[in-house]
Every structure is written in structure tokens, then in C-alpha cells.
């Protein structure tokens, strides 16, 4: 196959609509996975920057397909609604999409409501304790496996859980440590627990049965790691102190 034929075959597979449709999760949480809406009606975030760089390299326009959480991105993977995404990986998701290189590893823990007497996992994992997580996410599945007595409930959006925690309607929220530490500054009296219940890994992903797209995304992630584009995406999105981790 000639180079141009290979390029055409890749574009047909990775961007069948003629645009690179990048699935992103929206919330104010920030980090290596979450993106935010900008005041001008656009989007900002590490996946936004990486998606734009990928589209530019392919010579294609970029289109962002926004979802309230990574579980909905996962569900949409089988529908052909998006072409590439950057999201947390776990064994369940690996049955629904193909993952390339990991570019971030974070610790997941819990934040407890203002004035809570909970100080560690032992005092958290008690009957009658309500723990929230973003629905159908790797962190929610991790919290459900970790907690034997407390009840873990899923909600569609970060914002909804933020308000429940602020109002004291839930006891705790499971999320990655960096995002919870940022949240603690916004809700006085909350506490982020010291222990970690799982590590969350974030990676590039494409739909199943897209081998050319996966090979391209894998090569792309190696390039952006080595040429500084990935570091710049982190730095531009409030992650200057966050190391690049993963393969």
C-alpha cells in the first residue's frame, strides 16, 4: 500500500465524517481527563488540546463531542458518535473500546462533608454512610469494590455531587486526590482523607475494531510526549506541578 493510500485508509477509519470527533467529559474539576466550557462557548482541557493537535496533524477539522461523564463516553463508543477520546481506563472499558498509551496516573480517595467526624477509611466504611461518585466511572467501580458497609451512589455530574457535599446531604465524594484538594479550597470545613483506595490511569482510546486508528493514536501519544506538546497541554490547564506518568 502506498503512503497516500495508507493515509486515506487511516482517515476513513479515524474520521469517517471528515472531522476528528473528540469525546470529552465536562466539569469544573480539571485534571488530565476533565474539560471545561469556556466563556466564549468553546472548551478547554488536556483532551481538548490533544484532540486539536491530533486533528492538525491529520489535516482535519476538530469537533468536540461533550458528555457529563466518562461513563457516557464509554456507552457511546459502540454507537459511532466519536472517533477518539482521552479518559480513565479500566478492565470493563477495555471490552468497549481500544486503549493506547497511558499519560496520567492519579490516586483516588474521598473528601468528607464539612464538619464530618470521619477521619480515615475505617470510620468512613460504616452502615448509613452515603458516598457519592460520578456514575459508571472507574472511580465509582473502585469505591464500590473498596467499601463494604457504606453505600456508594452514582450521580451524572460533578456539579450535582459538589452541591450535595457542600449542603451536607452526602457524607463523602470519591474522586482523584488532586481534584478533591482543589474542591476542599472551595468548600470550607471539608477534609480529603490521607489514604488511597485505587490508582486511576488515563489514556487515549478509540472505538473497537479500529486498528489503524489505535496504531496512529499510539504513535501520536509517543510523539507528543517527546516533543513537549503533552507537557504544554498539562501546563496550560493548571497541571504545571503534575508529572507525566504512564507508558
Amino acid at each position: 500500500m502506498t503512503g497516500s493510500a495508507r493515509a486515506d485508509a487511516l482517515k476513513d477509519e479515524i474520521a469517517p465524517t471528515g472531522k476528528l470527533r473528540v469525546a470529552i467529559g465536562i466539569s469544573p474539576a480539571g485534571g488530565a481527563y476533565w474539560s471545561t466550557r469556556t466563556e466564549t462557548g468553546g472548551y478547554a482541557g488536556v483532551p481538548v488540546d490533544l484532540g486539536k493537535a491530533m486533528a492538525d496533524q491529520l489535516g482535519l477539522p476538530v469537533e468536540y463531542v461533550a458528555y457529563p461523564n466518562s461513563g457516557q463516553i464509554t456507552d457511546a463508543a459502540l454507537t459511532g458518535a466519536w472517533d477518539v477520546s482521552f479518559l480513565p481506563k479500566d478492565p470493563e472499558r477495555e471490552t468497549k473500546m481500544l486503549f493506547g498509551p497511558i499519560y496520567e496516573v492519579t490516586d483516588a480517595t474521598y473528601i468528607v462533608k464539612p464538619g464530618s467526624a470521619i477521619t480515615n477509611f475505617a470510620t468512613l466504611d460504616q452502615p448509613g454512610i452515603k458516598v457519592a461518585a460520578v456514575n459508571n466511572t472507574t472511580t465509582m467501580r473502585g469505591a464500590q469494590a473498596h467499601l463494604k458497609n457504606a453505600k456508594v451512589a452514582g450521580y451524572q455530574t460533578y456539579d450535582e455531587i459538589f452541591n450535595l457535599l457542600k449542603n451536607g446531604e452526602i457524607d463523602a465524594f470519591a474522586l482523584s486526590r488532586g481534584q478533591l484538594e482543589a474542591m476542599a479550597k472551595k468548600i470550607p470545613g471539608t477534609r480529603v482523607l490521607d489514604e488511597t483506595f485505587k490508582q486511576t490511569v488515563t489514556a487515549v482510546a478509540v472505538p473497537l475494531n479500529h486498528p489503524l486508528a489505535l496504531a496512529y493514536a499510539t504513535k501520536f501519544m509517543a510523539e507528543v510526549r517527546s516533543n513537549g506538546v503533552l507537557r504544554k497541554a498539562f501546563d496550560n490547564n493548571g497541571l504545571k506541578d503534575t508529572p507525566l506518568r504512564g507508558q
Side-chain angles (χ1 to χ4, degrees):
M1 191 182 287
T2 66
S4 61
R6 268 199 304 273
D8 289 345
L10 170 63
K11 285 186 181 180
D12 286 346
E13 185 180 287
I14 202 169
T17 64
K19 296 178 182 175
L20 186 69
R21 297 168 301 165
V22 181
I24 55 173
I26 300 296
S27 94
Y33 154 66
W34 291 106
S35 298
T36 57
R37 294 187 195 277
T38 64
E39 291 177 2
T40 57
Y43 301 102
V46 173
V48 172
D49 291 356
L50 293 178
K52 179 73 167 64
M54 185 181 282
D56 287 349
Q57 190 180 88
L58 288 164
L60 294 168
V62 66
E63 178 182 311
Y64 299 105
V65 188
Y67 295 88
N69 62 55
S70 57
Q72 290 194 12
I73 294 175
T74 304
D75 291 342
L78 303 173
T79 69
W82 56 264
D83 303 312
V84 66
S85 190
F86 303 86
L87 77 171
K89 167 183 170 180
D90 70 5
E92 183 167 320
R93 288 192 179 157
E94 288 183 279
T95 67
K96 296 178 179 176
M97 60 183 88
L98 300 172
F99 283 94
I102 293 162
Y103 63 91
E104 169 65 334
V105 182
T106 57
D107 293 336
T109 186
Y110 307 93
I111 189 171
V112 297
K113 69 182 180 182
S116 174
I118 294 166
T119 56
N120 56 29
F121 287 177
T123 49
L124 173 73
D125 194 12
Q126 300 295 328
I129 297 291
K130 294 182 195 169
V131 179
V134 181
N135 199 46
N136 195 18
T137 58
T138 63
T139 304
M140 179 173 168
R141 285 190 282 276
Q144 287 172 326
H146 172 240
L147 299 174
K148 309 304 179 195
N149 301 299
K151 179 174 170 39
V152 179
Y155 297 86
Q156 288 298 334
T157 68
Y158 168 100
D159 287 347
E160 185 180 4
I161 302 173
F162 180 96
N163 290 324
L164 290 171
L165 186 77
K166 187 176 181 181
N167 297 333
E169 294 173 54
I170 54 170
D171 295 295
F173 180 10
L175 201 65
S176 68
R177 183 176 300 282
Q179 290 157 350
L180 293 181
E181 287 170 348
M183 187 187 298
K185 294 174 185 170
K186 297 178 185 173
I187 310 178
T190 53
R191 179 193 298 117
V192 179
L193 301 185
D194 291 337
E195 299 150 287
T196 293
F197 68 86
K198 82 181 289 279
Q199 285 197 315
T200 299
V201 298
T202 308
V204 65
V206 298
L208 293 175
N209 303 313
H210 283 56
L212 297 177
L214 180 63
Y216 170 76
T218 299
K219 181 167 169 279
F220 171 83
M221 292 306 294
E223 288 173 1
V224 296
R225 185 182 282 274
S226 65
N227 66 17
V229 169
L230 181 59
R231 180 71 263 167
K232 188 176 177 187
F234 271 54
D235 293 351
N236 288 349
N237 291 287
L239 299 171
K240 277 193 166 66
D241 299 326
T242 303
L244 303 179
R245 294 169 65 183
Q247 57 209 43

